[in-house]
Amino acid sequence: AVVSTQSGHYGRDLGDNKSAWKQYDATFTAKEYDGPKLEILLDQGEDDPYLNDKQLLPENFANACSGNKLINLNFRMHPGYDHGYFFIMSFMEDHFNFMAKHIC
């Protein structure tokens, strides 16, 4: 999931009108969110090249969530993991259990 179009990397795929990017930007949505309380689980590999290239900006999303009392974000950084299959498979069960708890 793209949590921020602010780096420009992902936003460029959305066209030239940067104000239109907001509807696809989870960081902006978190700042403006005013619905029911939300629980969000976000895992990020510390060795992800997209993170190190400042393309993902999950810290912006975390800051937006911390500024909104309706959002409880569990943001977990994982050393030694990148953006690949092993990372996804290592934490997939946690996400299935999280979703089962909140959906069922």
Side-chain angles (χ1 to χ4, degrees):
V2 175
V3 297
S4 180
T5 59
Q6 297 167 15
S7 72
H9 178 77
Y10 293 102
R12 69 176 180 230
D13 296 333
L14 300 173
D16 294 330
N17 182 358
K18 290 185 178 185
S19 64
W21 296 2
K22 290 180 180 179
Q23 65 183 322
Y24 304 103
D25 190 313
T27 299
F28 178 77
T29 301
K31 288 178 187 175
E32 302 294 319
Y33 182 76
D34 67 351
K37 288 193 175 191
L38 290 178
E39 299 281 333
I40 298 174
L41 174 60
L42 175 63
D43 285 300
Q44 174 65 58
E46 287 183 1
D47 295 335
D48 185 330
Y50 299 106
L51 175 70
N52 297 324
D53 287 345
K54 299 294 184 194
Q55 295 179 29
L56 300 179
L57 305 174
E59 64 277 6
N60 292 358
F61 181 68
N63 289 335
C65 290
S66 69
N68 188 327
K69 65 182 182 216
L70 297 172
I71 300 174
N72 182 23
L73 173 65
N74 183 0
F75 178 34
R76 306 184 308 184
M77 294 290 292
H78 300 281
Y81 287 92
D82 60 11
H83 196 82
Y85 175 82
F86 185 66
F87 170 73
I88 293 167
M89 292 306 297
S90 296
F91 303 102
M92 187 179 287
E93 184 176 356
D94 290 350
H95 285 263
F96 285 150
N97 290 334
F98 179 84
M99 288 184 282
K101 177 182 172 187
H102 293 284
I103 293 174
C104 298

